[in-house]
Amino acid sequence: MNQTLDRWRAAATRHKEKVVKLPLLSSLYGRIFAIFWLTLLLVVLTLVLLPILDPRTQHTIPEPDLKRFQASAESVGLRLADDRGPLSQRLLRFAHHSRRKGFQLYFTSTEGEILAPDGRNKALRNFITMADDPTKPRQRLYGRWMMAGPFTISTQPEPVLMYIGRFWHRPPPFFIQILDKPFQLLLVTMLVSTPLLLWLAWAVSIPARRLQQAAERVATGQFEADPTLEAGPREFRQAGASFNQMVRAINQTISGQQRLLSDISHELRSPLTRLRMATALAKRKQGESPELDRVDTEAERLEKMISELLELSRMQSHGQEQREHTDARSLWQEMLEDARFEAEQSQKHLDYGELEAWPLSGNPGLLISALENVVRNAIKYGRDTVQIRFTPGAAQLTIQIDDNGEGVPDNELSDIFRPFYRVSTARDRSSGGTGLGLAITDSAIRQHNGTVSASRSPLGGLRICISLPLDPHRP
């Protein structure tokens, strides 16, 4: 018994899984489905209603016109009875007489044979094939000529049918004019469907634009969850929730990395401090020696490397914090004056040209550090000249830093921004550089949506080119 119940439950579960769920308006595909069927419904209703409203199709005669036509048929019947002569001649006289009054009477036999007037009449022949029941008179428009009938007239030896034709003075309805012109019909169809399509485009584009903007913020280092992403159609809500979950996971990873680096820094600095203290005590007891000097130098270099590595890590983790609107002069004027003073102490000349208040937006500390690292490298490795040029454009500020030192081999220009990279020449090896200064610059500039590149300088040394976007919200 239990096995039978289990099989029944399993079959019921499979049946539920196979049931196709109806699309809901809260989902994107449900909205597309609804708009498709709504548009199709409007088209079908239009196709159904147009024949009813089109006077060129058969319609029942309006009640006032029907009574007037029936009265005319009775009057014609009485006058035909009072007239003398063959029936065909009497009918022909009535047909010619009615033409002079602005309308035309047509007479046919009950079998559909045209009795009067003489001649071929395409509208009449077409109409009598569709309207031949006197108990249900109809009317139809042929161009500007309206046909109505039939109406029974009692004559001897047999009754005849009368049709009335008259000129249609009313202009064709607007929708008839549109139907007769395919281009106008297409234009009206587009105008009618535009609100629905605009609503669908809005339903798709707004959440997609929010998701795009959130992705751009993440690309610039702003790892912040956005609650507005979890609104709109169901598919975008799910994508927004997944995106926010990803951002939170990245933040947790970065925080864990930062804590790990901080712990490593603390654990490494403690033995380094003890090592340098031991080196100082050894020098005090044994005096100066090349070996102790080498140990102290390497310990100092290792401590500096750890400090720069932590600075790079903090920059990558918190680079988007404390962003503000500022300008180039406020950022770099003081730093460049200090750098010029240091260059003069080394018998070198630093020229940074004209520095104006070009608008910028970002983390002031990172922007100052980014340019300072490059300028101090140029002072260190340049022989006697360092040139800095600021060139504002329509949307970005370009900074070129040139020195006349030994430069960097062309095949290594793209590698000098990698952490811990040291060129094959004596530029870094002789000075004991850590290889992190330009990596810090590259990270800071990229976090501000800028670019940094290296090339050979016209002065003979190295040229570093930095491009930063100008702040569009400030003049």
Side-chain angles (χ1 to χ4, degrees), residues 20-37 200 204 233-236:
V20 179
K21 295 183 178 180
L22 293 176
L24 302 177
L25 287 179
S26 60
S27 65
L28 180 60
Y29 84 100
R31 295 181 182 184
I32 296 175
F33 184 83
I35 289 178
F36 170 78
W37 281 107
L200 178 61
V204 174
R234 184 177 60 192
E235 291 83 356
F236 281 105

Side-chain angles (χ1 to χ4, degrees), residues 336-362:
L336 290 175
E337 285 297 323
D338 292 342
R340 174 184 285 174
F341 177 77
E342 293 179 12
E344 291 175 353
Q345 301 306 308
S346 302
Q347 287 75 47
K348 298 179 181 180
H349 175 68
L350 185 148
D351 176 25
Y352 61 83
E354 186 177 2
L355 184 61
E356 297 183 5
W358 298 296
L360 296 169
S361 176

